[in-house]
Amino acid sequence: MIVRGRKTVLLGVALTVIYTLLITGADAITKLFSANYAAPQMFALSGGLVAFFCLVAGHRTAATSVLATGCPWIMALRAAATVIGTCAFFYAFKLLPFAEVFLFIAIIPILAALLSRVMLKEYAGGQVWGAMILGVIGIATLFPGGLHSLGAGHLVAFLAVAMGAVSMVASRYIGQRDPGGLLSQVFYPNLALMIVMGGALPFVFVPMSWWDVLWVAYYAALLFGARWVLVAALKLLPAYVVTPLMNLQFLWMVAIGSMAFGERTGAGVFLGAALLITAGAWLVWDQVRAPTPKAAVPAE
């Protein structure tokens, strides 16, 4: 039924908006910690906490349900992409202003659409590509002086979003084939993050105050909620639709960057964000107006 399909789309949109609030809070803590600590120090602890939260959340159905996955190889791909992308985002936040990182996050829909075509056989129509071309124009506003203004921070940010796109498309692949695997999709990437970062931790460890430990615990709680909500959204909507909706992060990131870090956001960044948010709204409209939402999982 059309009504049911539209409810599915709107639920996916609502979950994605909640995700942007949670993940922006987590990103702010990441930027705060990047000034004083190396990535392994933060992510070894937070990854272990998020994995533990998954086990606690799944205790009523036994821990084995959290650990079960019907797509072990794609889960491994998602875990590897999460580890690389998380570390890259950590250093991108260290090297770039908060709001500038957003414009790289906005590249994810384009990469997700390309990967979805290969991995999921989800074909983006003309409306989708039109919206994404508008997004590319928005991204170009970050480099008014041309590509020679590209720096190390930009390259690290691009690596981060490339891995983010791989992780999200892998999540949708798993969600379509393993409907009960919400917690496992959060558990395994964070377990991998804890193990990999734990191996590097002895080389970079710096003593932490209890206050900083509490901040990491708060970060882990936000990250657990954000990733759980995102996995749920990716079960309902294609990755190339979910990711443009994340452009709402720009508003939160500009506000936090200004209030918490004293950053001033240039007019070009605002223009780019306006174009990217318009592109995201275009994609949502394309899904809602369709008689049957593209690639949406039917409501049970």
Side-chain angles (χ1 to χ4, degrees):
M1 293 176 61
I2 295 176
V3 173
R4 177 185 294 181
R6 289 185 176 176
K7 285 184 177 179
T8 299
V9 172
L10 293 176
L11 177 58
V13 170
L15 289 171
T16 306
V17 171
I18 293 171
Y19 166 81
T20 66
L21 289 167
L22 294 172
I23 200 63
T24 303
D27 287 343
I29 297 173
T30 299
K31 186 169 180 63
L32 180 68
F33 267 72
S34 68
N36 300 307
Y37 299 99
Q41 183 133 355
M42 182 175 188
F43 297 130
L45 178 58
S46 64
L49 284 172
V50 174
F52 174 72
F53 293 157
C54 290
L55 294 175
V56 172
H59 79 282
R60 292 184 179 179
T61 55
T64 53
S65 65
V66 177
L67 303 179
T69 176
C71 307
W73 290 108
I74 301 300
M75 185 69 80
L77 174 64
R78 173 169 159 77
T82 298
V83 171
I84 298 170
T86 299
C87 293
F89 268 120
F90 181 90
Y91 289 107
F93 281 121
K94 185 172 185 175
L95 296 169
L96 295 175
F98 209 46
E100 274 194 27
V101 178
F102 162 80
L103 290 189
F104 281 90
I105 293 173
I107 300 173
I108 293 179
I110 300 167
L111 299 177
L114 295 173
L115 289 171
S116 293
R117 187 181 181 95
V118 174
M119 294 179 64
L120 306 176
K121 307 303 180 185
E122 291 180 342
Y123 295 95
Q127 294 276 349
V128 173
W129 284 108
M132 288 192 292
I133 289 171
L134 183 62
V136 171
I137 296 172
I139 294 163
T141 64
L142 185 59
F143 306 106
L147 290 180
H148 69 271
S149 59
L150 196 69
H154 302 112
L155 296 175
V156 172
F158 184 79
L159 173 62
V161 299
M163 291 298 100
V166 171
S167 178
M168 288 179 183
V169 174
S171 175
R172 181 156 173 80
Y173 181 98
I174 296 168
Q176 290 177 335
R177 293 157 179 79
D178 187 11
L182 280 177
L183 285 174
S184 66
Q185 287 205 53
V186 181
F187 175 79
Y188 281 111
N190 283 282
L191 179 65
L193 191 62
M194 180 192 71
I195 293 171
V196 174
M197 295 295 101
L201 184 58
F203 303 100
V204 298
F205 181 79
V206 175
M208 298 175 67
S209 68
W210 281 108
W211 183 251
D212 285 344
V213 172
L214 289 175
W215 271 114
V216 173
Y218 181 48
Y219 166 84
L222 288 174
L223 194 63
F224 170 73
R227 287 183 173 169
W228 189 90
V229 167
L230 180 60
V231 169
L234 286 166
K235 289 182 65 177
L236 300 174
L237 295 174
Y240 61 77
V241 175
V242 171
T243 47
L245 291 173
M246 295 177 190
N247 292 340
L248 188 59
Q249 280 181 257
F250 177 74
L251 300 178
W252 321 138
M253 293 176 86
V254 167
I256 292 175
S258 175
M259 292 186 294
F261 302 107
E263 297 174 349
R264 297 178 64 87
T265 303
V269 176
F270 277 107
L271 174 61
L275 293 173
L276 290 163
I277 290 170
T278 301
W282 187 352
L283 286 174
V284 174
W285 172 247
D286 182 53
Q287 286 282 301
V288 172
R289 73 179 180 83
T292 302
K294 297 182 180 68
V297 178
E300 295 181 359

